Amino acid sequence: MRIHLLHTAESNIAVFKAAAVELNIPAQYLRHHVREDLLQACEMAGGLTQSIRQQTVETLLQLAEDAEVVLLTCSTLGPAAEDAAKQTSVRMLRVDRALAETALAAEGHITVLYAVETTKGPTLKLFADVQGEREADISFSWVAEAWERFKQGNSAGYLQLIAAAADKAYQNGAEVVVLAQASMAGAANLTQFGIPLTSPLCGLRAAMSPETA
C-alpha cells in the first residue's frame, strides 16, 4: 500500500504519523511530501486562486504516478484534489472531506473551527456539498490569533487556543466539534469537555477504506 500525502506544513508529518500509529497503519505505507509555498501563496493572495489550484493539481498528479492513494492534507487547497481526481484513476482524496462526512453523520449541533482564514471558503463549500439536501445545524468559527502563533513556531500556544475554542463550543451546546485543519489535531488531546473530530484520523481511515471514492 502506497499512500502519498501532500502537506503544506512540515509539522503535519508528525501529526499524520501519530494518527497512523493510532490506527495501526504501518509507517511504510505513508510517504510524505511538503509544499509550504502553496499555502503561503494562498495567504498572500487572500485565497485559493486558479493558478495556485492548478499548481496543486499538477503536484498531486505527479504523486499519483507512484501511489495507490494520494491524500491532500491542506484544507485551503482541498478543491484541487477534486480537480486532480478527474484526471487520474488513482484514488485522490482531500482529508477534510472524510472529516465533513464523519461530522455530518452525527446528530446535534456541529461547530467547525478553523485557524487559517483562507480555509473558511473551501470548508464552507465542502460541508455544503457533503450535506446536500440533508438538514444540519452547523456553525463555523475562526480561532483568532491561533495561526499567528503557529507561524511563530509556538505550537503549544497554538494548540492551547484551539482547545480553548473547542471547549467553549462544547459549553455553548455543540454536540460535535470539528477541527478543520490537520495542524489543529493535537488540540483534541487538550480539551476538557469533549473530544473533537480531527482530519488526520478521518482522512487516513478513508485512505485505507477501498470503498472511498
Side-chain angles (χ1 to χ4, degrees), residues 97-106 130 176 197 202 205:
R97 177 169 288 276
L99 181 67
E101 290 171 348
T102 302
L104 287 165
V130 173
V176 180
L197 291 177
C202 293
R205 285 194 189 100

Side-chain angles (χ1 to χ4, degrees), residues 138-151:
I138 311 175
S139 63
F140 296 82
S141 181
W142 175 54
V143 185
E145 301 181 12
W147 194 241
E148 286 304 314
R149 291 192 183 186
F150 182 89
K151 291 193 293 185

Side-chain angles (χ1 to χ4, degrees), residues 17-96:
K17 284 183 176 180
V21 169
E22 187 169 340
L23 296 173
N24 295 314
I25 299 173
Q28 62 267 28
Y29 282 17
L30 308 184
R31 302 184 185 184
H32 301 274
H33 310 268
V34 181
R35 286 289 305 274
E36 293 183 349
D37 60 299
L38 293 173
L39 180 57
Q40 291 168 355
C42 286
E43 290 186 84
M44 290 181 63
L48 179 61
T49 66
Q50 186 56 43
S51 174
I52 301 168
R53 187 165 174 164
Q54 184 56 36
Q55 290 179 59
T56 306
V57 169
E58 291 170 359
T59 302
L60 292 169
L61 291 175
Q62 289 174 358
L63 297 182
E65 294 175 3
D66 184 41
E68 293 168 72
V69 180
V70 176
L71 187 61
L72 176 60
T73 70
C74 177
S75 300
T76 296
L77 301 177
E82 297 168 354
D83 295 345
K86 299 173 184 177
Q87 302 178 47
T88 179
S89 59
V90 173
R91 292 173 60 221
M92 188 74 60
L93 307 178
R94 53 185 292 185
V95 71
D96 51 353

